Amino acid sequence: MDPVRNPYAPGAGQRPPELAGRDRELSQFEVVLERIARGRPERSMVLTGLRGVGKTVLLNSFRSMALQRLWGTGKIEARPDQSIRRPVAGALHMAVRELAPRHRAPDRIEEFLGVLKAFAARDPKAPKGSFTPHLGIDVPAVRGRADSGDLEIDLMELFTDAASVAGDLSVGIALFIDEMQDVPAPDVSALCAATHELSQTGGPLIVVGAGLPHLPAVLSASKSYSERLFRYVSIDRLDRAAADQALLAPAQREGADFEREALDALYEAADGYPYFVQAYGKVTWDVATASPVTAQDVAVASPQAEGELAVGFFGSRYERATPAERKYMRMMAQLGDDPVATSQVAEELGVKPSSVSPARDGLIKKGLIYSSERGLIAFTVPHFGRFLRAQPA
């Protein structure tokens, strides 16, 4: 069929043509926005799940929902060993810029931007009171507010001031944080404390995070009350009906269709993971010569789709690992697809657990594995074990 009209879109964080199977999550966030609009207390929200289940897509959809309500929004992607001070400042700068044209008191906006500039430029390692320009804000930095160098104190003050600006317009501010598990531990603590303080005062600012399945444990280890601070929403693979909808709806808008047997084969291949659904759908469309798409079309397309996934989805991650880390992952894969005990991996490798700790920690830091619970590890990428087992020794 015409590849120009191919409706499927496998991509990192790219919204699929049909956002199927996520009505529950969208409705939950709609309730959050509505409650805050009515001045009612509401928890911030955290999405968790494996890679490829569509967390970033949902995060972006939530942001669009907030923008439709005229909220101020900003988004960051956390990175290991990088403080969130300046990324958060940039995100809130964007959020307030969205609100500024409707605000009737320019001096309030300028005052906040001055606080924001001071917050962003404050270097904890520099002498107290030193500032450097940042973010292109052409107003003087406001000294004495959100500039102590203590991130917890500064975030509390900054969030309070940002919420106040939004409250002037009877709207809110939403700060979206992708890859939230990569926020450094001290910054996680500061972020939780600031969000907790704001929830107590009822300020209209929420934090919406997305991360790997162990993110709740990361937050809980930082602040025990984080279990009550956030609403945790687990994002998983699509069920059969949703996976079929993700394939059928875009195709039917293009005047095409799938035979039932083709949908059976695609669900078996993609296993309901949204990224895989798009990847197999895209290749199958290009292979098929006419509508409806048949099971034979899927059989022809599957090796090509698997090859593309092996290079772009699995292989790119595998290449990031060191030889020792690859050896560790291959042993994990040999032990199965369920979470495995770290002690068992070491035992099968014939070494002491302490000797493979650097490899394990390196893989966790690179986001290739995660600790599902104490003493257990698992791959962050679905079907990664199967991919590794298919590779030459």
Side-chain angles (χ1 to χ4, degrees):
M1 293 189 287
D2 185 358
V4 175
R5 294 171 51 211
N6 192 322
Y8 304 107
Q14 187 171 339
R15 183 185 176 97
E18 181 73 14
L19 187 57
R22 301 307 185 209
D23 292 345
R24 176 181 67 97
E25 293 81 7
L26 295 172
S27 296
Q28 287 176 330
F29 192 64
E30 187 69 39
V31 169
V32 170
L33 294 175
E34 184 63 28
R35 284 181 58 83
I36 293 175
R38 298 187 182 191
R40 296 183 179 276
E42 188 52 80
R43 289 175 292 172
S44 289
M45 201 167 180
V46 165
L47 308 175
T48 65
L50 297 175
R51 301 201 183 281
V53 297
K55 301 184 299 299
T56 301
V57 168
L58 264 180
L59 210 62
N60 291 337
S61 297
F62 288 171
R63 187 177 184 184
S64 296
M65 292 167 65
L67 286 170
Q68 289 171 5
R69 289 176 171 266
L70 303 180
W71 278 41
T73 68
K75 181 184 172 186
I76 70 172
E77 181 177 317
R79 298 178 181 177
D81 303 324
Q82 181 188 56
S83 172
I84 62 170
R85 179 179 286 270
R86 291 196 175 187
V88 164
L92 290 183
H93 186 207
M94 180 177 292
V96 171
R97 285 174 60 189
E98 292 171 351
L99 301 178
R102 293 180 283 120
H103 206 287
R104 296 183 179 181
D107 57 318
R108 287 269 289 145
I109 299 295
E110 287 194 7
E111 181 181 3
F112 175 76
L113 291 178
V115 172
L116 186 64
K117 184 175 184 177
F119 169 85
R122 187 68 173 93
D123 183 355
K125 297 180 181 179
K128 189 172 183 179
S130 66
F131 297 90
T132 56
H134 190 60
L135 298 178
I137 299 175
D138 57 359
V139 300
V142 174
R143 297 178 182 271
R145 183 74 176 167
D147 63 350
S148 69
D150 184 316
L151 186 60
E152 183 170 315
I153 295 172
D154 294 349
L155 274 178
M156 286 181 184
E157 295 180 348
L158 186 71
F159 281 5
T160 298
D161 290 359
S164 178
V165 170
D168 293 342
L169 296 169
S170 299
V171 295
I173 285 178
L175 173 63
F176 298 92
I177 305 178
D178 206 358
E179 302 292 348
M180 195 174 181
Q181 74 283 341
D182 287 338
V183 176
D187 292 22
V188 168
S189 178
L191 184 65
C192 288
T195 305
H196 187 218
E197 178 70 19
L198 203 66
S199 69
Q200 292 177 325
T201 60
L205 186 152
I206 57 171
V207 174
V208 185
L212 294 173
H214 66 294
L215 176 54
V218 171
L219 296 173
S220 180
S222 172
K223 297 288 186 183
S224 59
Y225 54 70
S226 68
E227 297 171 356
R228 304 181 300 278
L229 184 61
F230 298 99
R231 173 186 291 189
Y232 294 102
V233 180
S234 177
I235 310 300
D236 205 345
R237 72 187 80 183
L238 302 175
D239 61 23
R240 176 60 191 269
D244 286 356
Q245 182 187 350
L247 290 165
L248 285 171
Q252 291 170 350
R253 288 194 287 266
E254 296 294 335
D257 208 342
F258 286 78
E259 291 183 352
R260 183 69 182 179
E261 292 77 10
L263 292 173
D264 292 342
L266 283 167
Y267 189 74
E268 182 178 354
D271 201 21
Y273 287 102
Y275 185 87
F276 296 165
V277 169
Q278 296 298 311
Y280 279 91
K282 187 174 191 303
V283 176
T284 301
W285 174 283
D286 289 343
V287 164
T289 57
S291 174
V293 176
T294 67
Q296 179 60 30
D297 293 327
V298 178
V300 173
S302 289
Q304 182 180 337
E306 290 166 5
E308 292 183 3
L309 287 169
V311 174
F313 191 73
F314 298 117
S316 60
R317 289 174 166 84
Y318 183 69
E319 292 299 323
R320 292 167 51 199
T322 67
E325 291 167 352
R326 294 176 188 177
K327 184 177 181 181
Y328 192 93
M329 287 192 294
R330 285 196 297 268
M331 181 52 67
M332 284 179 59
Q334 292 302 320
L335 293 173
D337 295 318
D338 294 326
V340 298
T342 55
S343 59
Q344 187 179 5
V345 176
E347 181 180 347
E348 293 295 330
L349 288 171
V351 297
K352 294 181 179 179
S354 58
S355 67
V356 291
S357 292
R360 181 200 62 209
D361 295 346
L363 289 168
I364 291 174
K365 188 173 182 179
K366 291 174 180 175
L368 296 174
I369 66 173
Y370 71 99
S371 177
S372 55
E373 59 182 85
R374 187 173 180 84
L376 294 179
I377 48 172
F379 291 114
T380 62
V381 177
H383 294 182
F384 200 57
R386 186 169 71 181
F387 162 77
L388 290 173
R389 289 190 294 272
Q391 302 309 301

Short mmCIF file of all heavy atoms in Angstrom, two decimals, residues 150-215:
data_model
loop_
_atom_site.label_atom_id
_atom_site.label_comp_id
_atom_site.label_asym_id
_atom_site.label_seq_id
_atom_site.Cartn_x
_atom_site.Cartn_y
_atom_site.Cartn_z
N ASP A 150 20.21 26.40 48.93
CA ASP A 150 19.61 25.16 49.43
C ASP A 150 18.41 24.87 48.54
O ASP A 150 17.40 25.57 48.57
CB ASP A 150 19.16 25.35 50.88
CG ASP A 150 18.61 24.07 51.50
OD1 ASP A 150 17.81 23.38 50.82
OD2 ASP A 150 18.96 23.76 52.65
N LEU A 151 18.51 23.82 47.72
CA LEU A 151 17.49 23.57 46.71
C LEU A 151 16.12 23.35 47.31
O LEU A 151 15.11 23.76 46.73
CB LEU A 151 17.89 22.37 45.85
CG LEU A 151 16.98 22.08 44.64
CD1 LEU A 151 16.95 23.25 43.68
CD2 LEU A 151 17.42 20.80 43.92
N GLU A 152 16.05 22.71 48.47
CA GLU A 152 14.75 22.45 49.08
C GLU A 152 14.05 23.75 49.44
O GLU A 152 12.88 23.96 49.11
CB GLU A 152 14.91 21.57 50.32
CG GLU A 152 13.60 21.19 50.97
CD GLU A 152 13.77 20.12 52.05
OE1 GLU A 152 14.50 19.14 51.79
OE2 GLU A 152 13.16 20.27 53.12
N ILE A 153 14.76 24.64 50.09
CA ILE A 153 14.19 25.94 50.46
C ILE A 153 13.85 26.75 49.21
O ILE A 153 12.76 27.34 49.10
CB ILE A 153 15.17 26.73 51.35
CG1 ILE A 153 15.37 26.02 52.68
CG2 ILE A 153 14.67 28.16 51.56
CD1 ILE A 153 16.46 26.61 53.54
N ASP A 154 14.76 26.74 48.26
CA ASP A 154 14.57 27.56 47.06
C ASP A 154 13.39 27.07 46.22
O ASP A 154 12.62 27.88 45.68
CB ASP A 154 15.84 27.57 46.22
CG ASP A 154 17.00 28.28 46.92
OD1 ASP A 154 16.74 28.93 47.95
OD2 ASP A 154 18.14 28.17 46.45
N LEU A 155 13.24 25.75 46.10
CA LEU A 155 12.10 25.22 45.33
C LEU A 155 10.78 25.54 46.01
O LEU A 155 9.79 25.87 45.34
CB LEU A 155 12.23 23.71 45.16
CG LEU A 155 13.06 23.20 43.99
CD1 LEU A 155 13.12 21.68 44.01
CD2 LEU A 155 12.51 23.67 42.65
N MET A 156 10.75 25.45 47.34
CA MET A 156 9.52 25.80 48.07
C MET A 156 9.10 27.23 47.76
O MET A 156 7.93 27.51 47.45
CB MET A 156 9.73 25.63 49.57
CG MET A 156 9.77 24.20 50.07
SD MET A 156 9.99 24.16 51.87
CE MET A 156 10.12 22.41 52.16
N GLU A 157 10.06 28.15 47.83
CA GLU A 157 9.74 29.55 47.60
C GLU A 157 9.38 29.80 46.14
O GLU A 157 8.45 30.57 45.84
CB GLU A 157 10.91 30.42 48.03
CG GLU A 157 11.17 30.36 49.53
CD GLU A 157 12.34 31.22 49.99
OE1 GLU A 157 13.11 31.69 49.12
OE2 GLU A 157 12.49 31.41 51.21
N LEU A 158 10.11 29.17 45.23
CA LEU A 158 9.83 29.36 43.80
C LEU A 158 8.46 28.80 43.43
O LEU A 158 7.68 29.45 42.71
CB LEU A 158 10.91 28.68 42.97
CG LEU A 158 10.82 28.93 41.47
CD1 LEU A 158 11.20 30.37 41.14
CD2 LEU A 158 11.73 27.97 40.70
N PHE A 159 8.14 27.59 43.89
CA PHE A 159 6.83 26.99 43.59
C PHE A 159 5.70 27.85 44.17
O PHE A 159 4.66 28.04 43.53
CB PHE A 159 6.76 25.58 44.17
CG PHE A 159 7.46 24.53 43.35
CD1 PHE A 159 8.20 24.87 42.24
CD2 PHE A 159 7.38 23.18 43.71
CE1 PHE A 159 8.85 23.89 41.48
CE2 PHE A 159 8.01 22.20 42.95
CZ PHE A 159 8.75 22.56 41.84
N THR A 160 5.90 28.36 45.38
CA THR A 160 4.88 29.19 46.01
C THR A 160 4.62 30.44 45.18
O THR A 160 3.46 30.82 44.94
CB THR A 160 5.31 29.58 47.42
OG1 THR A 160 5.47 28.39 48.21
CG2 THR A 160 4.29 30.49 48.08
N ASP A 161 5.69 31.08 44.71
CA ASP A 161 5.53 32.30 43.92
C ASP A 161 4.91 32.00 42.56
O ASP A 161 4.07 32.77 42.07
CB ASP A 161 6.88 32.99 43.73
CG ASP A 161 7.42 33.60 45.03
OD1 ASP A 161 6.72 33.49 46.05
OD2 ASP A 161 8.52 34.17 45.01
N ALA A 162 5.31 30.90 41.93
CA ALA A 162 4.74 30.53 40.64
C ALA A 162 3.25 30.23 40.77
O ALA A 162 2.43 30.66 39.95
CB ALA A 162 5.48 29.32 40.06
N ALA A 163 2.88 29.49 41.83
CA ALA A 163 1.47 29.17 42.06
C ALA A 163 0.66 30.43 42.30
O ALA A 163 -0.49 30.54 41.86
CB ALA A 163 1.35 28.22 43.25
N SER A 164 1.25 31.41 42.98
CA SER A 164 0.56 32.67 43.25
C SER A 164 0.25 33.42 41.96
O SER A 164 -0.84 33.97 41.79
CB SER A 164 1.41 33.53 44.18
OG SER A 164 0.78 34.78 44.43
N VAL A 165 1.21 33.43 41.03
CA VAL A 165 1.00 34.09 39.74
C VAL A 165 -0.14 33.40 38.99
O VAL A 165 -1.02 34.06 38.42
CB VAL A 165 2.29 34.08 38.90
CG1 VAL A 165 2.01 34.54 37.47
CG2 VAL A 165 3.34 34.97 39.53
N ALA A 166 -0.14 32.08 38.98
CA ALA A 166 -1.21 31.35 38.29
C ALA A 166 -2.55 31.59 38.97
O ALA A 166 -3.59 31.71 38.31
CB ALA A 166 -0.88 29.86 38.26
N GLY A 167 -2.53 31.63 40.31
CA GLY A 167 -3.76 31.86 41.05
C GLY A 167 -4.41 33.19 40.73
O GLY A 167 -5.64 33.33 40.80
N ASP A 168 -3.60 34.19 40.36
CA ASP A 168 -4.17 35.48 39.96
C ASP A 168 -5.12 35.34 38.78
O ASP A 168 -6.04 36.15 38.61
CB ASP A 168 -3.05 36.45 39.56
CG ASP A 168 -2.17 36.85 40.75
OD1 ASP A 168 -2.62 36.66 41.91
OD2 ASP A 168 -1.05 37.34 40.52
N LEU A 169 -4.89 34.33 37.95
CA LEU A 169 -5.70 34.11 36.75
C LEU A 169 -6.70 32.97 36.94
O LEU A 169 -7.36 32.55 35.98
CB LEU A 169 -4.79 33.79 35.57
CG LEU A 169 -3.83 34.90 35.13
CD1 LEU A 169 -2.82 34.37 34.13
CD2 LEU A 169 -4.61 36.06 34.52
N SER A 170 -6.77 32.44 38.15
CA SER A 170 -7.68 31.31 38.46
C SER A 170 -7.36 30.09 37.61
O SER A 170 -8.26 29.34 37.19
CB SER A 170 -9.15 31.73 38.25
OG SER A 170 -9.48 32.80 39.12
N VAL A 171 -6.07 29.89 37.34
CA VAL A 171 -5.61 28.69 36.64
C VAL A 171 -4.49 28.07 37.45
O VAL A 171 -4.23 28.48 38.59
CB VAL A 171 -5.14 29.01 35.20
CG1 VAL A 171 -6.30 29.50 34.36
CG2 VAL A 171 -4.00 30.00 35.20
N GLY A 172 -3.80 27.10 36.88
CA GLY A 172 -2.71 26.46 37.59
C GLY A 172 -1.46 26.36 36.73
O GLY A 172 -1.44 26.81 35.57
N ILE A 173 -0.42 25.78 37.31
CA ILE A 173 0.82 25.50 36.60
C ILE A 173 1.12 24.02 36.77
O ILE A 173 1.00 23.48 37.87
CB ILE A 173 1.99 26.35 37.13
CG1 ILE A 173 1.85 27.80 36.64
CG2 ILE A 173 3.34 25.77 36.70
CD1 ILE A 173 2.93 28.73 37.15
N ALA A 174 1.50 23.38 35.67
CA ALA A 174 1.86 21.96 35.71
C ALA A 174 3.30 21.81 35.25
O ALA A 174 3.65 22.25 34.15
CB ALA A 174 0.93 21.14 34.82
N LEU A 175 4.12 21.20 36.10
CA LEU A 175 5.51 20.92 35.78
C LEU A 175 5.63 19.44 35.46
O LEU A 175 5.37 18.59 36.32
CB LEU A 175 6.41 21.29 36.96
CG LEU A 175 7.89 20.90 36.85
CD1 LEU A 175 8.56 21.63 35.69
CD2 LEU A 175 8.62 21.20 38.16
N PHE A 176 6.02 19.11 34.24
CA PHE A 176 6.12 17.73 33.79
C PHE A 176 7.58 17.30 33.80
O PHE A 176 8.44 18.01 33.25
CB PHE A 176 5.53 17.57 32.39
CG PHE A 176 4.06 17.90 32.32
CD1 PHE A 176 3.63 19.18 32.01
CD2 PHE A 176 3.11 16.93 32.60
CE1 PHE A 176 2.28 19.49 31.96
CE2 PHE A 176 1.76 17.22 32.56
CZ PHE A 176 1.34 18.51 32.24
N ILE A 177 7.86 16.15 34.41
CA ILE A 177 9.23 15.64 34.53
C ILE A 177 9.29 14.24 33.96
O ILE A 177 8.74 13.29 34.53
CB ILE A 177 9.71 15.63 36.00
CG1 ILE A 177 9.57 17.02 36.62
CG2 ILE A 177 11.16 15.15 36.07
CD1 ILE A 177 9.97 17.08 38.08
N ASP A 178 9.96 14.11 32.81
CA ASP A 178 10.14 12.79 32.21
C ASP A 178 11.44 12.16 32.73
O ASP A 178 12.34 12.87 33.16
CB ASP A 178 10.19 12.92 30.69
CG ASP A 178 9.76 11.64 29.98
OD1 ASP A 178 9.46 10.65 30.68
OD2 ASP A 178 9.70 11.65 28.73
N GLU A 179 11.52 10.84 32.68
CA GLU A 179 12.68 10.10 33.22
C GLU A 179 12.96 10.51 34.67
O GLU A 179 14.10 10.71 35.08
CB GLU A 179 13.92 10.32 32.35
CG GLU A 179 13.76 9.93 30.90
CD GLU A 179 13.61 8.43 30.70
OE1 GLU A 179 13.86 7.67 31.64
OE2 GLU A 179 13.25 8.02 29.57
N MET A 180 11.91 10.59 35.45
CA MET A 180 12.01 11.14 36.81
C MET A 180 12.92 10.32 37.71
O MET A 180 13.47 10.85 38.68
CB MET A 180 10.61 11.25 37.42
CG MET A 180 10.53 12.13 38.65
SD MET A 180 8.80 12.34 39.17
CE MET A 180 9.00 13.43 40.58
N GLN A 181 13.10 9.03 37.39
CA GLN A 181 13.97 8.20 38.23
C GLN A 181 15.42 8.65 38.15
O GLN A 181 16.25 8.27 38.99
CB GLN A 181 13.88 6.72 37.83
CG GLN A 181 14.59 6.34 36.53
CD GLN A 181 13.84 6.73 35.28
OE1 GLN A 181 12.63 6.97 35.35
NE2 GLN A 181 14.52 6.79 34.15
N ASP A 182 15.76 9.48 37.15
CA ASP A 182 17.14 9.95 36.98
C ASP A 182 17.43 11.25 37.74
O ASP A 182 18.56 11.72 37.71
CB ASP A 182 17.45 10.17 35.50
CG ASP A 182 17.61 8.85 34.74
OD1 ASP A 182 17.88 7.83 35.40
OD2 ASP A 182 17.46 8.84 33.51
N VAL A 183 16.44 11.82 38.40
CA VAL A 183 16.70 13.01 39.22
C VAL A 183 17.63 12.61 40.36
O VAL A 183 17.38 11.63 41.07
CB VAL A 183 15.38 13.59 39.78
CG1 VAL A 183 15.67 14.77 40.71
CG2 VAL A 183 14.46 14.02 38.65
N PRO A 184 18.74 13.33 40.56
CA PRO A 184 19.66 12.99 41.65
C PRO A 184 18.96 12.92 43.00
O PRO A 184 18.01 13.69 43.24
CB PRO A 184 20.70 14.11 41.61
CG PRO A 184 20.65 14.62 40.20
CD PRO A 184 19.22 14.47 39.77
N ALA A 185 19.41 12.04 43.87
CA ALA A 185 18.74 11.80 45.15
C ALA A 185 18.50 13.07 45.97
O ALA A 185 17.39 13.26 46.48
CB ALA A 185 19.53 10.78 45.96
N PRO A 186 19.50 13.98 46.12
CA PRO A 186 19.22 15.20 46.90
C PRO A 186 18.14 16.06 46.27
O PRO A 186 17.34 16.68 46.98
CB PRO A 186 20.58 15.92 46.90
CG PRO A 186 21.59 14.87 46.59
CD PRO A 186 20.90 13.92 45.68
N ASP A 187 18.09 16.08 44.94
CA ASP A 187 17.08 16.87 44.24
C ASP A 187 15.70 16.25 44.36
O ASP A 187 14.69 16.96 44.42
CB ASP A 187 17.47 17.04 42.77
CG ASP A 187 18.71 17.89 42.58
OD1 ASP A 187 19.49 18.01 43.54
OD2 ASP A 187 18.91 18.44 41.48
N VAL A 188 15.64 14.91 44.37
CA VAL A 188 14.36 14.23 44.59
C VAL A 188 13.78 14.63 45.94
O VAL A 188 12.59 14.94 46.07
CB VAL A 188 14.53 12.70 44.53
CG1 VAL A 188 13.27 11.99 45.03
CG2 VAL A 188 14.84 12.25 43.12
N SER A 189 14.65 14.64 46.95
CA SER A 189 14.21 15.03 48.29
C SER A 189 13.68 16.45 48.31
O SER A 189 12.62 16.74 48.88
CB SER A 189 15.38 14.88 49.28
OG SER A 189 15.00 15.29 50.57
N ALA A 190 14.40 17.35 47.65
CA ALA A 190 13.98 18.75 47.60
C ALA A 190 12.67 18.90 46.85
O ALA A 190 11.78 19.66 47.26
CB ALA A 190 15.08 19.59 46.95
N LEU A 191 12.54 18.18 45.75
CA LEU A 191 11.33 18.27 44.95
C LEU A 191 10.11 17.77 45.72
O LEU A 191 9.04 18.38 45.69
CB LEU A 191 11.52 17.46 43.67
CG LEU A 191 10.41 17.49 42.64
CD1 LEU A 191 10.25 18.89 42.05
CD2 LEU A 191 10.68 16.48 41.53
N CYS A 192 10.28 16.64 46.42
CA CYS A 192 9.17 16.10 47.23
C CYS A 192 8.79 17.08 48.33
O CYS A 192 7.60 17.29 48.60
CB CYS A 192 9.56 14.75 47.82
SG CYS A 192 9.65 13.40 46.63
N ALA A 193 9.78 17.65 48.99
CA ALA A 193 9.50 18.58 50.08
C ALA A 193 8.75 19.81 49.58
O ALA A 193 7.80 20.28 50.22
CB ALA A 193 10.80 19.00 50.76
N ALA A 194 9.18 20.34 48.44
CA ALA A 194 8.52 21.53 47.89
C ALA A 194 7.09 21.20 47.46
O ALA A 194 6.16 22.00 47.69
CB ALA A 194 9.32 22.07 46.70
N THR A 195 6.90 20.04 46.85
CA THR A 195 5.57 19.64 46.42
C THR A 195 4.67 19.41 47.63
O THR A 195 3.48 19.76 47.62
CB THR A 195 5.65 18.36 45.57
OG1 THR A 195 6.56 18.56 44.48
CG2 THR A 195 4.29 17.98 45.01
N HIS A 196 5.25 18.84 48.69
CA HIS A 196 4.49 18.60 49.92
C HIS A 196 4.05 19.92 50.55
O HIS A 196 2.89 20.08 50.95
CB HIS A 196 5.37 17.83 50.90
CG HIS A 196 4.65 17.39 52.13
ND1 HIS A 196 5.23 17.39 53.38
CD2 HIS A 196 3.39 16.93 52.30
CE1 HIS A 196 4.36 16.97 54.27
NE2 HIS A 196 3.24 16.67 53.65
N GLU A 197 4.95 20.86 50.61
CA GLU A 197 4.63 22.18 51.17
C GLU A 197 3.50 22.83 50.38
O GLU A 197 2.57 23.41 50.95
CB GLU A 197 5.88 23.06 51.14
CG GLU A 197 5.66 24.48 51.65
CD GLU A 197 5.42 24.56 53.15
OE1 GLU A 197 5.76 23.59 53.85
OE2 GLU A 197 4.87 25.58 53.62
N LEU A 198 3.58 22.75 49.08
CA LEU A 198 2.57 23.38 48.23
C LEU A 198 1.22 22.70 48.39
O LEU A 198 0.17 23.36 48.38
CB LEU A 198 3.02 23.32 46.77
CG LEU A 198 2.41 24.36 45.83
CD1 LEU A 198 2.88 25.76 46.24
CD2 LEU A 198 2.81 24.09 44.40
N SER A 199 1.22 21.37 48.54
CA SER A 199 -0.04 20.65 48.71
C SER A 199 -0.74 21.05 50.00
O SER A 199 -1.97 21.05 50.08
CB SER A 199 0.20 19.14 48.68
OG SER A 199 0.91 18.71 49.83
N GLN A 200 0.07 21.41 51.00
CA GLN A 200 -0.52 21.83 52.28
C GLN A 200 -1.14 23.21 52.20
O GLN A 200 -2.14 23.48 52.87
CB GLN A 200 0.56 21.80 53.36
CG GLN A 200 1.06 20.40 53.70
CD GLN A 200 2.18 20.42 54.72
OE1 GLN A 200 3.01 21.32 54.75
NE2 GLN A 200 2.22 19.40 55.57
N THR A 201 -0.57 24.07 51.38
CA THR A 201 -1.10 25.44 51.24
C THR A 201 -2.16 25.54 50.16
O THR A 201 -2.85 26.56 50.06
CB THR A 201 0.03 26.43 50.93
OG1 THR A 201 0.66 26.06 49.69
CG2 THR A 201 1.08 26.42 52.04
N GLY A 202 -2.30 24.49 49.35
CA GLY A 202 -3.33 24.51 48.32
C GLY A 202 -2.98 25.31 47.09
O GLY A 202 -3.87 25.69 46.32
N GLY A 203 -1.70 25.61 46.89
CA GLY A 203 -1.30 26.37 45.71
C GLY A 203 -1.55 25.59 44.44
O GLY A 203 -1.32 24.38 44.39
N PRO A 204 -2.01 26.26 43.38
CA PRO A 204 -2.36 25.56 42.13
C PRO A 204 -1.15 25.24 41.25
O PRO A 204 -1.01 25.74 40.13
CB PRO A 204 -3.30 26.54 41.43
CG PRO A 204 -2.80 27.89 41.87
CD PRO A 204 -2.34 27.70 43.29
N LEU A 205 -0.25 24.42 41.77
CA LEU A 205 0.88 23.94 41.00
C LEU A 205 1.04 22.46 41.28
O LEU A 205 1.05 22.05 42.44
CB LEU A 205 2.17 24.70 41.37
CG LEU A 205 3.42 24.40 40.53
CD1 LEU A 205 4.36 25.62 40.51
CD2 LEU A 205 4.20 23.20 41.05
N ILE A 206 1.15 21.67 40.22
CA ILE A 206 1.32 20.23 40.38
C ILE A 206 2.55 19.77 39.62
O ILE A 206 2.96 20.38 38.63
CB ILE A 206 0.09 19.43 39.90
CG1 ILE A 206 -0.23 19.75 38.44
CG2 ILE A 206 -1.10 19.69 40.80
CD1 ILE A 206 -1.29 18.83 37.85
N VAL A 207 3.12 18.68 40.10
CA VAL A 207 4.23 18.02 39.43
C VAL A 207 3.70 16.71 38.86
O VAL A 207 3.07 15.93 39.57
CB VAL A 207 5.38 17.74 40.41
CG1 VAL A 207 6.47 16.92 39.74
CG2 VAL A 207 5.95 19.04 40.96
N VAL A 208 3.94 16.50 37.58
CA VAL A 208 3.50 15.26 36.92
C VAL A 208 4.75 14.58 36.39
O VAL A 208 5.43 15.09 35.49
CB VAL A 208 2.52 15.54 35.77
CG1 VAL A 208 1.99 14.22 35.20
CG2 VAL A 208 1.36 16.41 36.26
N GLY A 209 5.08 13.44 36.97
CA GLY A 209 6.30 12.74 36.59
C GLY A 209 6.04 11.46 35.83
O GLY A 209 4.93 10.91 35.87
N ALA A 210 7.05 11.00 35.12
CA ALA A 210 6.99 9.72 34.43
C ALA A 210 8.34 9.04 34.57
O ALA A 210 9.38 9.69 34.48
CB ALA A 210 6.63 9.89 32.96
N GLY A 211 8.32 7.72 34.80
CA GLY A 211 9.59 7.02 34.97
C GLY A 211 9.42 5.52 34.97
O GLY A 211 8.32 4.99 34.76
N LEU A 212 10.50 4.85 35.23
CA LEU A 212 10.54 3.39 35.21
C LEU A 212 9.80 2.81 36.42
O LEU A 212 9.48 3.55 37.36
CB LEU A 212 11.99 2.93 35.17
CG LEU A 212 12.74 3.30 33.89
CD1 LEU A 212 14.23 2.97 34.02
CD2 LEU A 212 12.14 2.59 32.68
N PRO A 213 9.54 1.51 36.42
CA PRO A 213 8.71 0.92 37.49
C PRO A 213 9.23 1.14 38.90
O PRO A 213 8.43 1.10 39.85
CB PRO A 213 8.70 -0.57 37.13
CG PRO A 213 8.87 -0.61 35.66
CD PRO A 213 9.83 0.51 35.35
N HIS A 214 10.54 1.35 39.07
CA HIS A 214 11.05 1.51 40.43
C HIS A 214 10.98 2.96 40.92
O HIS A 214 11.44 3.25 42.03
CB HIS A 214 12.50 1.02 40.51
CG HIS A 214 13.47 1.83 39.71
ND1 HIS A 214 13.44 1.90 38.34
CD2 HIS A 214 14.53 2.62 40.09
CE1 HIS A 214 14.42 2.68 37.91
NE2 HIS A 214 15.09 3.12 38.95
N LEU A 215 10.39 3.86 40.14
CA LEU A 215 10.30 5.27 40.55
C LEU A 215 9.61 5.46 41.90
O LEU A 215 10.08 6.25 42.73
CB LEU A 215 9.61 6.09 39.46
CG LEU A 215 9.36 7.56 39.76
CD1 LEU A 215 10.64 8.28 40.16
CD2 LEU A 215 8.70 8.26 38.56
#
